[in-house]
Amino acid sequence: MEIEKKIKAGDVRAASRLIRNIEDNIPEAKATIKHIFHSTGNAQVVGITGSPGAGKSTIVDGLIEASRKRDKTVGVLAVDPTSPFTGGATLGDRIRMQRHAEDPGVFIRSLATRGSLGGLSKAVGDAIHIMDAMGKDVILVETVGTGQQEVEIINHAHTVIVVLVPGMGDEIQALKAGIMEIADIFVINKADREGAGKLQRELMIMLDMSS
Ligand SMILES: Nc1nc2c(ncn2[C@@H]2O[C@H](COP(=O)(O)OP(=O)(O)O)[C@@H](O)[C@H]2O)c(=O)[nH]1
Ligand SMILES: [Mg+2]
């Protein structure tokens, strides 16, 4: 199949079209995924999750830069189950990552919710496979979520980063809702704000309790 060859060659237009068709649940797109499957498994997949505004996109932007400095190619998938209208990524996200848009070593796409969360989760998995088959070394998956969505990221990522910010009050509550178990790395972002030390202490106590 021509499209498989194009994906493996890193063709951005072919990959973008396939991701869009996966999002739209086109059966042929599903079949194509099966054919590219044997070209996957080489990428390091990192999930970044946390509340809206926590600073996920800012961290993704930093991780893109750090990866590029090490000559790693990067795929970025922005997933927003809360906003079916923006195409998955907010304008702010796009502006924050815009400086990498011209870099051929960086491929950024977004996924929005169409239909069920389960459907979105499958689409995320397929889109990761596509970027993996393209040869991206690092794939960064940004998900906004509350509970279920955040937990599902673990099905796709090797490493899960949970971003917390001080002073939101609901952060520790969210940890109790099951995010604790999926996190490999906790980031206390906006540490310039009041309450970062308190959040860190609360987090440390919870980590001790769960071990
Ligand atoms: N004060 C402060 N603001 C930050 C920090 N990191 C990100 N922000 C700001 O927080 C806002 C939301 O960041 P963004 O990365 O879009 O969050 P996302 O919704 O989780 O992707 C933006 O205005 C960022 O500039 C930080 O460490 N400190
Ligand atoms: Mg964002």
Side-chain angles (χ1 to χ4, degrees), residues 6 10-11 14 44 53 64 67-68 77 81 98 116 133 154 158 167 174 183 192 196 209:
K6 284 187 175 172
D11 187 314
Q44 167 79 16
I64 295 172
S67 302
R68 294 302 291 142
L77 200 55
Q98 197 60 45
S116 68
I154 201 170
H158 298 117
D192 48 305
M209 278 166 63

Short mmCIF file of all heavy atoms in Angstrom, two decimals, residues 6 10-11 14 44 53 64 67-68 77 81 98 116 133 154 158 167 174 183 192 196 209:
data_model
loop_
_atom_site.label_atom_id
_atom_site.label_comp_id
_atom_site.label_asym_id
_atom_site.label_seq_id
_atom_site.Cartn_x
_atom_site.Cartn_y
_atom_site.Cartn_z
N LYS A 6 4.49 5.86 2.50
CA LYS A 6 4.60 7.30 2.78
C LYS A 6 4.74 7.56 4.27
O LYS A 6 5.55 8.39 4.69
CB LYS A 6 3.36 8.04 2.24
CG LYS A 6 3.38 8.21 0.74
CD LYS A 6 2.22 9.08 0.30
CE LYS A 6 2.30 9.35 -1.20
NZ LYS A 6 1.10 10.04 -1.68
N GLY A 10 7.93 9.13 6.61
CA GLY A 10 7.76 10.35 7.41
C GLY A 10 6.94 11.43 6.73
O GLY A 10 6.99 12.59 7.14
N ASP A 11 6.19 11.05 5.68
CA ASP A 11 5.39 12.01 4.93
C ASP A 11 4.32 12.66 5.82
O ASP A 11 3.40 11.99 6.29
CB ASP A 11 4.72 11.28 3.75
CG ASP A 11 4.00 12.23 2.81
OD1 ASP A 11 3.25 13.10 3.30
OD2 ASP A 11 4.16 12.08 1.58
N ALA A 14 0.56 12.65 4.41
CA ALA A 14 -0.07 11.33 4.49
C ALA A 14 -0.42 10.98 5.94
O ALA A 14 -1.50 10.46 6.23
CB ALA A 14 0.87 10.27 3.91
N GLN A 44 9.76 6.42 22.29
CA GLN A 44 9.54 6.60 23.72
C GLN A 44 8.27 7.46 23.86
O GLN A 44 8.24 8.59 23.39
CB GLN A 44 10.74 7.30 24.35
CG GLN A 44 10.53 7.82 25.75
CD GLN A 44 10.62 6.73 26.82
OE1 GLN A 44 11.13 5.65 26.55
NE2 GLN A 44 10.13 7.02 27.99
N GLY A 53 -4.74 24.48 32.28
CA GLY A 53 -3.97 25.63 32.77
C GLY A 53 -2.83 25.28 33.71
O GLY A 53 -2.14 26.16 34.19
N ILE A 64 10.11 19.32 24.01
CA ILE A 64 10.43 19.33 22.57
C ILE A 64 11.84 19.88 22.40
O ILE A 64 12.69 19.28 21.72
CB ILE A 64 9.43 20.20 21.76
CG1 ILE A 64 8.02 19.63 21.78
CG2 ILE A 64 9.92 20.33 20.30
CD1 ILE A 64 6.96 20.57 21.16
N SER A 67 14.55 17.53 23.63
CA SER A 67 14.70 16.37 22.75
C SER A 67 15.43 16.75 21.47
O SER A 67 16.29 16.01 20.99
CB SER A 67 13.32 15.80 22.38
OG SER A 67 12.62 15.42 23.54
N ARG A 68 15.08 17.91 20.92
CA ARG A 68 15.72 18.35 19.68
C ARG A 68 17.21 18.62 19.88
O ARG A 68 18.01 18.37 18.99
CB ARG A 68 15.02 19.61 19.12
CG ARG A 68 13.59 19.37 18.69
CD ARG A 68 13.49 18.30 17.61
NE ARG A 68 14.05 18.74 16.35
CZ ARG A 68 14.76 17.96 15.52
NH1 ARG A 68 15.02 16.70 15.84
NH2 ARG A 68 15.21 18.43 14.38
N LEU A 77 1.10 14.96 20.42
CA LEU A 77 -0.33 14.74 20.27
C LEU A 77 -1.04 15.47 21.41
O LEU A 77 -0.82 15.16 22.58
CB LEU A 77 -0.59 13.23 20.35
CG LEU A 77 -1.87 12.69 19.77
CD1 LEU A 77 -2.05 13.11 18.31
CD2 LEU A 77 -1.87 11.17 19.89
N PRO A 81 -10.38 16.19 25.67
CA PRO A 81 -11.73 15.62 25.67
C PRO A 81 -12.79 16.63 26.07
O PRO A 81 -13.97 16.38 25.92
CB PRO A 81 -11.63 14.50 26.71
CG PRO A 81 -10.56 14.93 27.63
CD PRO A 81 -9.59 15.74 26.80
N GLN A 98 4.35 27.00 18.64
CA GLN A 98 4.49 27.49 17.27
C GLN A 98 5.95 27.58 16.82
O GLN A 98 6.28 27.32 15.68
CB GLN A 98 3.84 28.88 17.15
CG GLN A 98 3.56 29.32 15.72
CD GLN A 98 2.63 28.36 15.01
OE1 GLN A 98 1.63 27.95 15.57
NE2 GLN A 98 2.97 27.97 13.79
N SER A 116 -17.44 8.67 22.02
CA SER A 116 -17.15 8.23 23.38
C SER A 116 -15.70 8.46 23.78
O SER A 116 -14.82 8.60 22.94
CB SER A 116 -17.44 6.74 23.50
OG SER A 116 -16.51 6.02 22.73
N ALA A 133 5.48 4.92 13.64
CA ALA A 133 5.85 4.37 12.32
C ALA A 133 6.57 5.40 11.46
O ALA A 133 7.39 5.07 10.61
CB ALA A 133 4.59 3.86 11.60
N ILE A 154 -2.32 5.74 30.59
CA ILE A 154 -1.33 4.73 30.96
C ILE A 154 -1.31 3.56 29.99
O ILE A 154 -0.31 2.87 29.82
CB ILE A 154 -1.54 4.24 32.42
CG1 ILE A 154 -0.25 3.63 32.95
CG2 ILE A 154 -2.70 3.29 32.53
CD1 ILE A 154 -0.27 3.34 34.43
N HIS A 158 4.78 5.06 28.03
CA HIS A 158 5.81 4.37 28.82
C HIS A 158 6.03 5.10 30.14
O HIS A 158 6.34 4.51 31.16
CB HIS A 158 7.14 4.34 28.06
CG HIS A 158 7.05 3.59 26.77
ND1 HIS A 158 7.27 4.18 25.55
CD2 HIS A 158 6.75 2.30 26.52
CE1 HIS A 158 7.10 3.28 24.59
NE2 HIS A 158 6.79 2.14 25.15
N GLY A 167 -2.26 25.73 45.24
CA GLY A 167 -3.33 26.70 45.43
C GLY A 167 -4.62 26.40 44.71
O GLY A 167 -5.51 27.24 44.66
N ALA A 174 -7.72 15.14 43.55
CA ALA A 174 -7.56 14.43 42.28
C ALA A 174 -6.62 13.23 42.44
O ALA A 174 -6.83 12.17 41.85
CB ALA A 174 -7.00 15.38 41.22
N ALA A 183 1.11 7.85 37.94
CA ALA A 183 2.20 8.79 37.74
C ALA A 183 3.56 8.13 37.93
O ALA A 183 3.79 7.42 38.89
CB ALA A 183 2.06 9.96 38.70
N ASP A 192 6.52 29.10 41.61
CA ASP A 192 6.71 30.49 42.01
C ASP A 192 5.51 31.00 42.80
O ASP A 192 5.55 32.05 43.42
CB ASP A 192 6.94 31.38 40.77
CG ASP A 192 5.92 31.11 39.66
OD1 ASP A 192 5.79 29.94 39.25
OD2 ASP A 192 5.24 32.06 39.23
N ALA A 196 3.45 26.06 47.13
CA ALA A 196 4.19 24.98 46.48
C ALA A 196 4.79 24.02 47.52
O ALA A 196 4.75 22.80 47.36
CB ALA A 196 5.28 25.55 45.57
N MET A 209 2.45 6.94 52.07
CA MET A 209 1.31 6.11 52.45
C MET A 209 1.00 5.05 51.41
O MET A 209 0.52 3.97 51.74
CB MET A 209 0.07 6.99 52.67
CG MET A 209 0.04 7.62 54.04
SD MET A 209 -1.17 8.94 54.14
CE MET A 209 -2.67 8.01 53.85
#
